Amino acid sequence: MAGAIANHARDEDLAAWADKTARSIEAGALDFINWTEVVEQLRELSSSQQHEVRLLLRTLLANLLEYSARVNEALTILTQRDAILDLFDESPSFGNISYRTDGGRGV
């Protein structure tokens, strides 16, 4: 029954349960510690933190992939611009080319 009461106390106010358990350990009152509860809480904490780390890493990876795609897109644009400028340098008359997609019909 004491384990059920300790479990209830832990579920009701984790901070108070942790503080009381820590004070009991510091005082050397180890016989009053429900070690099963302590182990369970440590495992839950570890599992929770591992889950949080996994979520944060997934989010970071998604953002890095998105950033990488934007950087690649920007680099492609700059590369194409530089290639066009190189062509203009090689053949200045290319600067007179119409870039209209309607074939110059004004439609």
Side-chain angles (χ1 to χ4, degrees):
M1 187 71 174
I5 294 171
N7 190 16
H8 180 71
R10 185 178 64 132
D11 291 341
E12 286 292 314
D13 188 344
L14 180 60
W17 173 85
D19 185 56
K20 181 179 178 186
T21 302
R23 281 190 275 121
S24 294
I25 292 171
E26 288 173 338
L30 303 181
D31 292 339
F32 297 101
I33 303 297
N34 182 334
W35 292 105
T36 303
E37 290 292 319
V38 172
V39 169
E40 185 178 312
Q41 185 58 44
L42 290 172
R43 284 194 175 129
E44 287 175 14
L45 177 64
S46 175
S47 176
S48 174
Q49 288 181 335
Q50 287 176 10
H51 178 72
E52 185 176 357
V53 166
R54 279 193 291 275
L55 288 177
L56 291 170
L57 286 172
R58 282 187 193 129
T59 302
L60 177 62
L61 179 59
N63 287 333
L64 286 172
L65 289 171
E66 185 178 322
Y67 175 77
S68 176
R70 281 193 229 141
V71 168
N72 287 338
E73 205 173 283
L75 289 175
T76 299
I77 291 168
L78 294 174
T79 300
Q80 296 301 315
R81 184 203 64 190
D82 289 346
I84 291 168
L85 292 175
D86 288 344
L87 288 172
F88 284 171
D89 286 344
E90 292 173 15
S91 301
S93 64
F94 283 168
N96 298 327
I97 295 175
S98 172
Y99 296 103
R100 294 174 65 167
T101 60
D102 61 8
R105 294 185 303 268
V107 180

